Amino acid sequence: SGSEMGFRPFDPERSFFSYPTSLHIEELSASIVRSHRETTQYRAEELQALRWKVFSREEIHAYQSKSVDEMWQHCAVRLTDAVQYVVEFAKRIPGFRQLCQNDQIALLKSGSMEVVLVRMSRMFNTENNTVFFDCKFAGTELFKSLACGDLIAALFDFAHNLCALRLTEQQMAVFTALVLLNADRPCLEDRERVQRVRRDVELALSHILHKDNQESLLHKLYQRVPVLKSLCALHIEKLRWFRQLYPLTVHSLFPPLYKELFG
Ligand code: MHQ
């Protein structure tokens, strides 16, 4: 019976032999939302309270005066921190850890940056086009010394547009799980298994949007997926350019996880 099922630990394999029930989907949503909440660097309320904290002209100038390699190293460390939270999130998505190790790595290699960029929209203030970075809100000009203005502009544009959808934390949690569980990623050994885990997460997202009476969001969210892919490609392209100029910085000063994922 339903009430009995509610006390059983969540079993991601259930859908192999039975149709997912709405209770199963509710449990899955709740579990993903909890995982999201436990693995975000800042809570939504904290970010809301910090909205007024912007960098001063002097502080911006200090960032702009950094050398290209110094600023790249700094951002690579920040990005890697954010990726680490996403890895923790992935591990807590029901069904993810039951995938073989290779497929878990393949999904993280291609998907963790995409999730970082979706999560970046939580840290974005559309009123002044700033993002929460190093404990204050920063505009694009702060990243000038990276010498990749086109990438920064595209990242801010993406965050701005995603922000405009005004996703709830629940919607974002399940959407980011879906971004990770992409059965079209290269080098997957067991695509069908990824597809099966994904199918239930898709049902969870539809279910949440239905409850929120926002079913039109589904199409808008799916529209962002190819944009995410192109932003990640641009990041890799910039990294190749940077590595040619500063091979030793990448080799000895960039975080190992960053090199493993993008190098
Ligand atoms: C933070 C929020 C946040 C804010 C800004 C230099 C390099 C490795 C690549 C984000 C190109 C630059 C950064 C803006 C690019 C990848 C940089 C520019 C978590 C980290 C995050 C998302 C930063 C990640 C790295 C970004 C995207 O709470």
Side-chain angles (χ1 to χ4, degrees):
S1 77
S3 61
E4 191 191 319
M5 259 175 59
F7 295 100
R8 239 183 260 155
F10 183 80
D11 176 6
E13 304 279 294
R14 228 182 67 82
S15 54
F16 284 127
F17 12 89
S18 65
Y19 286 107
T21 61
S22 69
L23 182 59
H24 171 77
I25 295 303
E26 296 253 1
E27 284 176 351
L28 175 61
S29 308
S31 178
I32 294 171
V33 170
R34 198 181 323 118
S35 306
H36 171 82
R37 205 187 323 112
E38 291 167 353
T39 61
T40 49
Q41 283 160 292
Y42 297 91
R43 284 180 295 121
E45 311 87 72
E46 287 178 273
L47 289 165
Q48 197 60 35
L50 291 166
R51 278 168 93 78
W52 56 271
K53 273 189 115 199
V54 292
F55 285 106
S56 67
R57 291 178 66 86
E58 291 74 24
E59 287 169 322
I60 294 169
H61 186 76
Y63 279 100
Q64 292 178 336
S65 308
K66 283 181 192 276
S67 61
V68 178
D69 58 324
E70 201 184 351
M71 189 60 178
W72 262 81
Q73 194 206 332
H74 184 77
C75 285
V77 170
R78 285 286 161 279
L79 175 57
T80 307
D81 286 345
V83 163
Q84 249 148 356
Y85 283 91
V86 173
V87 171
E88 197 49 48
F89 170 63
K91 291 201 278 186
R92 298 182 194 199
I93 298 171
F96 187 87
R97 297 201 84 156
Q98 284 71 41
L99 301 170
C100 70
Q101 192 107 38
N102 277 337
D103 287 355
Q104 293 183 34
I105 292 167
L107 293 178
L108 284 168
K109 264 196 134 174
S110 46
S112 56
M113 176 72 174
E114 293 186 0
V115 173
V116 166
L117 298 183
V118 172
R119 284 178 163 202
M120 186 175 143
S121 74
R122 293 174 77 246
M123 325 284 269
F124 199 80
N125 182 352
T126 44
E127 284 159 57
N128 55 5
N129 281 310
T130 54
V131 69
F132 195 67
F133 177 82
D134 280 355
C135 301
K136 286 187 187 175
F137 281 85
T140 52
E141 72 281 4
L142 186 121
F143 301 96
K144 204 173 98 182
S145 50
L146 289 173
C148 44
D150 53 347
L151 172 60
I152 299 301
L155 292 175
F156 272 62
D157 197 54
F158 177 81
H160 189 105
N161 289 327
L162 195 57
C163 233
L165 298 184
R166 301 188 144 279
L167 299 183
T168 65
E169 288 287 304
Q170 290 76 17
Q171 293 166 349
M172 180 167 297
V174 180
F175 177 58
T176 51
L178 215 50
V179 167
L180 282 172
L181 294 164
N182 182 342
D184 299 327
R185 300 296 191 195
C187 308
L188 287 175
E189 279 173 25
D190 192 349
R191 271 177 217 290
E192 271 90 80
R193 191 158 187 179
V194 175
Q195 190 54 50
R196 277 195 300 266
V197 180
R198 180 187 170 86
R199 190 198 60 169
D200 285 3
V201 180
E202 277 174 335
L203 290 174
L205 183 60
S206 304
H207 182 74
I208 285 185
L209 294 178
H210 178 76
K211 275 207 312 200
D212 296 341
N213 200 14
Q214 285 197 294
E215 277 140 316
S216 62
L217 265 184
L218 192 65
H219 174 66
K220 290 177 185 158
L221 287 173
Y222 282 131
Q223 277 181 330
R224 309 297 151 127
V225 176
V227 186
L228 275 173
K229 200 177 161 179
S230 72
L231 290 171
C232 292
L234 191 52
H235 165 234
I236 300 294
E237 193 184 308
K238 296 294 178 189
L239 174 61
R240 292 221 178 93
W241 161 82
F242 179 78
R243 196 198 280 268
Q244 266 177 0
L245 288 176
Y246 301 96
L248 291 175
T249 302
V250 177
H251 179 265
S252 10
L253 298 173
F254 274 28
L257 178 62
Y258 179 90
K259 287 184 281 182
E260 203 181 312
L261 291 173
F262 311 114

